[in-house]
Amino acid sequence: MNGLGGIMGGQPQARALFLRRNGPIIMVYAFILLLIVIGATQSERFLSERNLANVARQSAFLGIVALGQMLVILTAGIDLSVGSLVKVSILVSAIVMNGENANVVPAILAALALGVLVGLVHGFLINELRIAPFIVTLASLVILKGIGLTISSSPVGKASREVMMFYVQKVGPLPVIALMFFVLVLLTMLLLRYTVFGKHLVAVGGHVEVAHLSGVPVKRTRYAVYVLCSLTAVVTGLLWLSRMGVGDPAIGDGIELQTITAVIIGGTSLFGGRASVLGTLGGVLLLGITANLLVMLGVSQFIQGLIQGVIIVAAVALYKQEGD
């Protein structure tokens, strides 16, 4: 009886613990469902295959770099440079590609090399010079944005036909770009749950000194995570090139704040040590569906910015309440 009573008595506690840990994520997906209902009732085009494919692609653009941002935040860091890196990568790849299919591989390699270089520089400044990640990546945001606008302040270069065709490719009703994002979501979940590297990320974010004393290669882990984050930004830049067809210097502005918002909405702690891949996915979908719905309803850009700001404040408040 005592054992049974203990189990029965523990169920409410287990349920309360589950809701405490996953409540914000459940609310995010509930809000997504609410937005879908609103969209379906307010516009007959909202649930059309074309619009849903568009939402999936736009969410993938944000989601891929948001996964990289989530890994950095998991280590108690942050990367404010991702938007500017998206900008520079689309410009560099468009110029190198110059509309030629033969130049696709060199353009991709050049963009990836740029991502690795930026990530290593971030890792060096944070690890070796002990500069705060916020300061390092804020400076990088400004420098990379300046480099991008120095390269060109107007559209430049050209994507090859193969690259532009990639944007519209589908597997059944699902865009290939969205499928690629979902595969990355799955791989990130596996990385955090089953790999030593994933455990190192959690340890570094949870308590860096304890992680160091436990034998975790803190510096190497930081180098790796900042390189990964920069690579996700570069991949996003290449995907934007497939959509735009040219290197547009306007691309990338504000992406860093959107990724941080999506990650926070998803329940990842800004102080490190805890992350949710499904939560980040939910945050990305919430932002993507919200933006799409506001456009379809004809809401002005000023009001859109106001609503997105409210979402950010609500997300932070929800996170704070959940952490109290």
Side-chain angles (χ1 to χ4, degrees):
M1 290 294 294
N2 289 339
L4 180 59
I7 293 175
M8 295 298 291
Q11 284 182 350
Q13 294 180 355
R15 191 180 302 113
L17 181 60
F18 175 82
L19 291 176
R20 181 179 177 84
R21 290 180 175 177
N22 300 286
I25 299 175
I26 294 173
M27 291 183 65
V28 166
Y29 280 97
F31 194 42
I32 289 173
L33 181 60
L34 175 62
L35 288 177
I36 292 174
V37 172
I38 294 174
T41 56
Q42 296 298 315
S43 174
E44 60 182 15
R45 294 183 294 119
F46 182 77
L47 292 181
S48 66
E49 181 178 335
R50 179 177 181 180
N51 186 61
L52 291 179
N54 183 51
V55 172
R57 290 191 187 97
Q58 297 306 307
S59 297
F61 286 172
L62 174 61
I64 290 173
V65 67
L67 289 175
Q69 185 76 261
M70 182 197 71
L71 295 179
V72 168
I73 293 177
L74 177 59
T75 64
I78 199 166
D79 193 339
L80 298 174
S81 72
V82 290
S84 295
L85 185 52
V86 168
K87 182 191 303 293
V88 176
S89 63
I90 189 176
L91 292 171
V92 170
S93 57
I95 291 172
V96 174
M97 198 172 298
N98 197 30
E100 300 293 334
N101 288 333
N103 294 336
V104 170
V105 173
I108 293 175
L109 291 177
L112 293 177
L114 173 65
V116 172
L117 176 62
V118 171
L120 289 176
V121 170
H122 289 168
F124 175 80
L125 294 175
I126 294 168
N127 280 326
E128 314 303 338
L129 301 187
R130 298 181 180 275
I131 304 176
F134 180 89
I135 301 300
V136 169
T137 59
L138 178 62
S140 186
L141 178 156
V142 177
I143 293 170
L144 287 171
K145 187 173 184 177
I147 291 174
L149 294 177
T150 299
I151 292 174
S152 180
S153 58
S154 59
V156 66
K158 186 178 180 181
S160 71
R161 179 175 175 79
E162 287 182 352
V163 170
M164 287 189 287
M165 289 299 296
F166 180 75
Y167 178 77
V168 298
Q169 293 299 313
K170 292 184 177 181
V171 176
L174 188 66
V176 170
I177 291 175
L179 181 62
M180 185 172 75
F181 169 49
F182 290 133
V183 169
L184 287 176
V185 167
L186 178 60
L187 291 176
T188 305
M189 291 176 65
L190 294 175
L191 180 145
L192 292 180
R193 182 168 297 185
Y194 297 111
T195 69
V196 174
F197 178 64
K199 292 178 174 58
H200 286 173
L201 294 178
V202 175
V204 171
H207 199 296
V208 65
E209 294 299 330
V210 172
H212 180 73
L213 293 174
S214 300
V216 174
V218 174
K219 288 187 177 182
R220 191 165 62 195
T221 300
R222 281 178 176 158
Y223 273 114
V225 78
Y226 279 97
V227 168
L228 282 175
C229 186
S230 293
L231 286 175
T232 61
V234 165
V235 169
T236 301
L238 291 170
L239 293 179
W240 269 107
L241 178 61
S242 73
R243 179 190 178 187
M244 303 302 295
V246 295
D248 190 344
I251 299 299
D253 293 337
I255 287 181
E256 59 283 335
L257 295 181
Q258 291 179 326
T259 60
I260 295 169
T261 301
V263 170
I264 295 174
I265 289 174
T268 295
S269 172
L270 276 174
F271 302 104
R274 185 188 66 200
S276 171
V277 179
L278 286 179
T280 298
L281 172 62
V284 167
L285 292 176
L286 178 60
L287 293 181
I289 294 172
T290 300
N292 179 264
L293 181 58
L294 292 176
V295 171
M296 296 199 74
L297 295 179
V299 178
S300 72
Q301 289 187 343
F302 300 105
I303 301 300
Q304 289 182 38
L306 174 62
I307 292 175
Q308 291 174 350
V310 170
I311 291 176
I312 294 174
V313 173
V316 173
L318 184 65
Y319 164 76
K320 185 179 186 302
Q321 182 178 7
E322 184 264 345
D324 288 342

Short mmCIF file of all heavy atoms in Angstrom, two decimals, residues 11 27 44 54 67 75 82 103 110 114 118 139 158 197 208 229 231 258 274 283 288 300:
data_model
loop_
_atom_site.label_atom_id
_atom_site.label_comp_id
_atom_site.label_asym_id
_atom_site.label_seq_id
_atom_site.Cartn_x
_atom_site.Cartn_y
_atom_site.Cartn_z
N GLN A 11 2.27 10.96 -8.80
CA GLN A 11 1.76 11.32 -10.12
C GLN A 11 1.48 12.81 -10.27
O GLN A 11 1.87 13.41 -11.26
CB GLN A 11 0.50 10.49 -10.43
CG GLN A 11 0.81 9.05 -10.81
CD GLN A 11 -0.45 8.27 -11.15
OE1 GLN A 11 -1.57 8.73 -10.94
NE2 GLN A 11 -0.25 7.08 -11.69
N MET A 27 2.40 25.66 -24.95
CA MET A 27 1.68 26.89 -25.25
C MET A 27 2.06 27.43 -26.63
O MET A 27 1.21 27.97 -27.35
CB MET A 27 1.96 27.94 -24.18
CG MET A 27 1.35 27.61 -22.82
SD MET A 27 1.62 28.90 -21.59
CE MET A 27 0.68 30.25 -22.28
N GLU A 44 -9.21 32.25 -47.50
CA GLU A 44 -9.33 30.94 -48.15
C GLU A 44 -8.01 30.50 -48.77
O GLU A 44 -7.83 29.34 -49.08
CB GLU A 44 -10.42 30.99 -49.21
CG GLU A 44 -10.16 32.00 -50.32
CD GLU A 44 -11.29 32.07 -51.34
OE1 GLU A 44 -12.39 31.55 -51.04
OE2 GLU A 44 -11.05 32.64 -52.43
N ASN A 54 5.09 28.04 -49.17
CA ASN A 54 5.82 29.28 -48.96
C ASN A 54 6.18 29.45 -47.48
O ASN A 54 7.30 29.84 -47.15
CB ASN A 54 4.98 30.46 -49.43
CG ASN A 54 5.71 31.78 -49.30
OD1 ASN A 54 6.84 31.93 -49.77
ND2 ASN A 54 5.08 32.75 -48.67
N LEU A 67 18.80 26.98 -35.48
CA LEU A 67 19.39 25.79 -34.85
C LEU A 67 20.83 26.07 -34.43
O LEU A 67 21.26 25.68 -33.35
CB LEU A 67 19.35 24.61 -35.81
CG LEU A 67 17.97 24.00 -36.09
CD1 LEU A 67 18.07 22.92 -37.16
CD2 LEU A 67 17.35 23.42 -34.81
N THR A 75 25.48 26.91 -24.87
CA THR A 75 26.78 27.00 -24.19
C THR A 75 26.93 28.31 -23.42
O THR A 75 28.05 28.66 -23.03
CB THR A 75 27.93 26.88 -25.21
OG1 THR A 75 27.89 28.01 -26.11
CG2 THR A 75 27.84 25.60 -26.02
N VAL A 82 25.01 36.54 -37.14
CA VAL A 82 24.49 35.62 -38.15
C VAL A 82 23.80 36.34 -39.30
O VAL A 82 23.91 35.94 -40.46
CB VAL A 82 23.56 34.56 -37.52
CG1 VAL A 82 24.35 33.59 -36.67
CG2 VAL A 82 22.45 35.23 -36.72
N ASN A 103 30.33 27.13 -61.88
CA ASN A 103 30.86 27.86 -60.72
C ASN A 103 30.10 27.58 -59.43
O ASN A 103 30.39 28.19 -58.39
CB ASN A 103 30.83 29.37 -60.98
CG ASN A 103 31.77 29.78 -62.10
OD1 ASN A 103 32.74 29.07 -62.40
ND2 ASN A 103 31.47 30.89 -62.74
N ALA A 110 33.46 28.60 -51.34
CA ALA A 110 33.89 29.92 -50.87
C ALA A 110 33.03 30.38 -49.70
O ALA A 110 33.54 30.92 -48.71
CB ALA A 110 33.82 30.92 -52.01
N LEU A 114 34.16 30.87 -45.76
CA LEU A 114 33.89 32.11 -45.04
C LEU A 114 33.25 31.82 -43.68
O LEU A 114 33.63 32.40 -42.66
CB LEU A 114 32.95 33.00 -45.87
CG LEU A 114 32.43 34.27 -45.19
CD1 LEU A 114 33.58 35.22 -44.90
CD2 LEU A 114 31.38 34.94 -46.08
N VAL A 118 34.92 32.77 -40.01
CA VAL A 118 34.24 33.64 -39.04
C VAL A 118 34.05 32.90 -37.72
O VAL A 118 34.28 33.45 -36.64
CB VAL A 118 32.88 34.11 -39.60
CG1 VAL A 118 32.07 34.82 -38.51
CG2 VAL A 118 33.09 35.05 -40.78
N ALA A 139 30.56 43.14 -32.46
CA ALA A 139 31.57 43.75 -33.33
C ALA A 139 31.58 43.07 -34.70
O ALA A 139 31.70 43.73 -35.74
CB ALA A 139 32.94 43.65 -32.67
N LYS A 158 24.96 36.70 -59.83
CA LYS A 158 23.79 35.97 -60.32
C LYS A 158 23.90 34.50 -59.95
O LYS A 158 24.98 33.91 -60.03
CB LYS A 158 23.67 36.12 -61.85
CG LYS A 158 22.42 35.52 -62.44
CD LYS A 158 22.37 35.76 -63.94
CE LYS A 158 21.10 35.15 -64.54
NZ LYS A 158 21.05 35.35 -66.01
N PHE A 197 29.64 15.11 -27.95
CA PHE A 197 29.70 16.55 -28.23
C PHE A 197 28.46 17.26 -27.69
O PHE A 197 28.56 18.35 -27.10
CB PHE A 197 29.82 16.78 -29.74
CG PHE A 197 29.84 18.23 -30.13
CD1 PHE A 197 30.86 19.07 -29.73
CD2 PHE A 197 28.81 18.76 -30.91
CE1 PHE A 197 30.88 20.41 -30.09
CE2 PHE A 197 28.82 20.10 -31.28
CZ PHE A 197 29.85 20.92 -30.87
N VAL A 208 30.70 26.26 -16.64
CA VAL A 208 31.92 26.08 -17.41
C VAL A 208 33.08 25.59 -16.55
O VAL A 208 33.89 24.77 -17.01
CB VAL A 208 32.28 27.40 -18.13
CG1 VAL A 208 32.62 28.50 -17.14
CG2 VAL A 208 33.42 27.18 -19.12
N CYS A 229 27.54 27.36 -35.95
CA CYS A 229 26.57 28.43 -36.06
C CYS A 229 26.83 29.27 -37.32
O CYS A 229 25.90 29.62 -38.05
CB CYS A 229 26.60 29.32 -34.82
SG CYS A 229 25.30 30.58 -34.79
N LEU A 231 28.30 28.28 -40.01
CA LEU A 231 27.98 27.47 -41.19
C LEU A 231 26.48 27.46 -41.46
O LEU A 231 26.05 27.47 -42.62
CB LEU A 231 28.50 26.05 -41.01
CG LEU A 231 30.02 25.88 -41.14
CD1 LEU A 231 30.44 24.44 -40.83
CD2 LEU A 231 30.49 26.27 -42.54
N GLN A 258 15.61 37.61 -34.90
CA GLN A 258 14.58 36.61 -35.14
C GLN A 258 15.01 35.24 -34.63
O GLN A 258 14.21 34.50 -34.05
CB GLN A 258 14.25 36.54 -36.63
CG GLN A 258 13.53 37.77 -37.16
CD GLN A 258 13.24 37.66 -38.64
OE1 GLN A 258 14.01 37.08 -39.40
NE2 GLN A 258 12.13 38.23 -39.07
N ARG A 274 20.49 24.47 -21.08
CA ARG A 274 19.22 23.85 -21.40
C ARG A 274 18.72 24.34 -22.75
O ARG A 274 18.73 25.55 -23.02
CB ARG A 274 18.16 24.18 -20.35
CG ARG A 274 16.83 23.46 -20.56
CD ARG A 274 15.78 23.98 -19.60
NE ARG A 274 15.45 25.36 -19.88
CZ ARG A 274 14.87 26.17 -19.00
NH1 ARG A 274 14.62 25.75 -17.79
NH2 ARG A 274 14.58 27.41 -19.34
N GLY A 283 9.13 27.74 -32.15
CA GLY A 283 9.37 29.18 -32.22
C GLY A 283 9.52 29.66 -33.65
O GLY A 283 8.98 30.71 -34.03
N GLY A 288 7.14 32.30 -38.40
CA GLY A 288 6.86 32.19 -39.83
C GLY A 288 5.38 32.31 -40.14
O GLY A 288 4.98 33.02 -41.07
N SER A 300 -0.21 46.45 -42.04
CA SER A 300 0.93 47.27 -42.43
C SER A 300 2.21 46.80 -41.75
O SER A 300 2.16 46.15 -40.70
CB SER A 300 0.68 48.74 -42.07
OG SER A 300 0.76 48.93 -40.67
#
